Amino acid sequence: MSTYRLTIKCDNAQIELIAKNGALVGYEMDRYLESFVNRKIESAPYAMQKSQAPFNNQAAQQYSAPQPNFAPQQEYTAHIEQPAYNMPPQQPQPQVQQPQVQYNYNQPPQQQAAPVPEANEIHFVQSEPAPQPQVQPQVQENYTQAETPAQNTYAEQEAYISLGDFLASNKSTDVFSEFIISAYYIKRVLNIGHFTLKMLNGKFYPATGTLIDMAIIDEARTRGFIESLEEDGSLKYTLSSAGESYFINQLRG
Amino acid sequence: MAEYVFKMKKGEIEIELSSDDAEFVEQQLAKWREEILKKQG
């Protein structure tokens, strides 16, 4: 299932929308489109960077100094296409029979998001006013690495990712698969060797709205996906090698 | 799985869309480009 992420930064505020529903993200983008296009930049012409110049044509025309001789549309087109040039080459993907989604941007987001409300998360982040680093770790970077269960695939570059994001970016079809993904998240992303059921549900419930019960634990243990041990008087669990292989081969997005 | 990103920046506003749905990103990019070029014209 595809994941959609929309980030809007303005001054020192940042809004981040992560969803499995493309129509919701499209609807939110449409809301910002008009204000983005019509927005005027208040900075002085001399202070503009060249990449910002096409956005400020009106201010540039009012300035009497010699104007650079460039075609605004060409300059701007090059600017907005730059991310496309940086895209990783698209891998030939097998033709999976997926239902064609017709995005209807005219419907309100509540109706669009209804089928998978637990999959959508909106983060409001108050960031520092200092310049933010432009480099953000990307989820797909580690996907090219060898798929060995023992390898710490996500830990270093994706420690920031929430369980909700992690579930959304993998193939969680039911509570059991969500449990296996969560166990992998705890072991490989959070680098926590063993977890208790209480600790797991402390992370699982906010992300999914449901709880893991002993039936799920027993099924995973029966299938050899988790191992349990008693430590400090409490029962703790960890994802086994078989569980990691199951995640990598069956559940990883 | 490939991920597609396009980022737009204007003054202090920055909008970034990323998804592994190439068609969706392409649709959004085309829409934004059309709207902005229309405004420029």
Side-chain angles (χ1 to χ4, degrees), chain A residues 186-200:
Chain A
I186 290 173
K187 184 173 184 179
R188 292 299 180 191
V189 177
L190 301 183
N191 274 329
I192 299 174
H194 297 83
F195 60 86
T196 63
L197 184 58
K198 183 178 180 181
M199 171 193 164
L200 173 70

Side-chain angles (χ1 to χ4, degrees), chain A residues 58 88 94 100 113 171-172 182 249:
Chain A
Q58 186 176 359
Q100 292 296 317
K171 301 170 186 172
S172 54
S182 301
N249 296 324

Side-chain angles (χ1 to χ4, degrees), chain A residues 102-121:
Chain A
Q102 184 68 38
Y103 300 112
N104 186 350
Y105 304 113
N106 295 324
Q107 294 184 14
Q110 289 78 10
Q111 296 176 9
Q112 298 287 341
V116 284
E118 71 283 1
N120 302 322
E121 298 179 9

Side-chain angles (χ1 to χ4, degrees), chain A residues 227-241:
Chain A
E227 299 166 350
S228 60
L229 76 162
E230 191 167 344
E231 187 176 288
D232 299 331
S234 61
L235 201 54
K236 294 187 174 182
Y237 308 94
T238 187
L239 193 66
S240 66
S241 298

Side-chain angles (χ1 to χ4, degrees), chain A residues 2-5 7 9 11 22 30 36-39 55 57 76 81 83 87 90 103 105 140, chain B residues 3-5 9-10 12-21 24 27 31-33 36 39-40:
Chain A
S2 296
T3 302
Y4 306 86
R5 182 190 300 264
T7 305
K9 298 176 184 173
D11 295 329
D30 288 349
F36 185 89
V37 170
N38 295 326
R39 191 176 187 86
F55 291 117
N57 282 336
Y76 183 74
E81 286 183 350
M87 289 179 183
Q90 186 172 6
Y103 300 112
Y105 304 113
Q140 75 277 11
Chain B
E3 182 165 355
Y4 304 88
V5 180
K9 188 172 183 181
K10 185 177 184 182
E12 74 279 15
I13 284 193
E14 184 176 322
I15 296 179
E16 179 177 333
L17 171 68
S18 63
S19 175
D20 52 9
D21 184 344
F24 175 78
Q27 285 177 355
K31 184 193 301 182
W32 279 65
R33 177 188 294 156
I36 291 172
K39 186 70 178 180
Q40 293 283 319

Side-chain angles (χ1 to χ4, degrees), chain A residues 41-91:
Chain A
I41 299 176
E42 301 299 334
S43 58
Y46 269 128
M48 289 189 305
Q49 296 179 359
K50 187 176 179 181
S51 64
Q52 294 176 320
F55 291 117
N56 202 9
N57 282 336
Q58 186 176 359
Q61 289 168 3
Q62 292 171 355
Y63 183 64
S64 59
Q67 298 297 309
N69 187 18
F70 64 85
Q73 289 194 359
Q74 293 176 3
E75 178 79 11
Y76 183 74
T77 302
H79 177 75
I80 61 176
E81 286 183 350
Q82 185 176 359
Y85 298 150
N86 294 331
M87 289 179 183
Q90 186 172 6
Q91 301 293 329

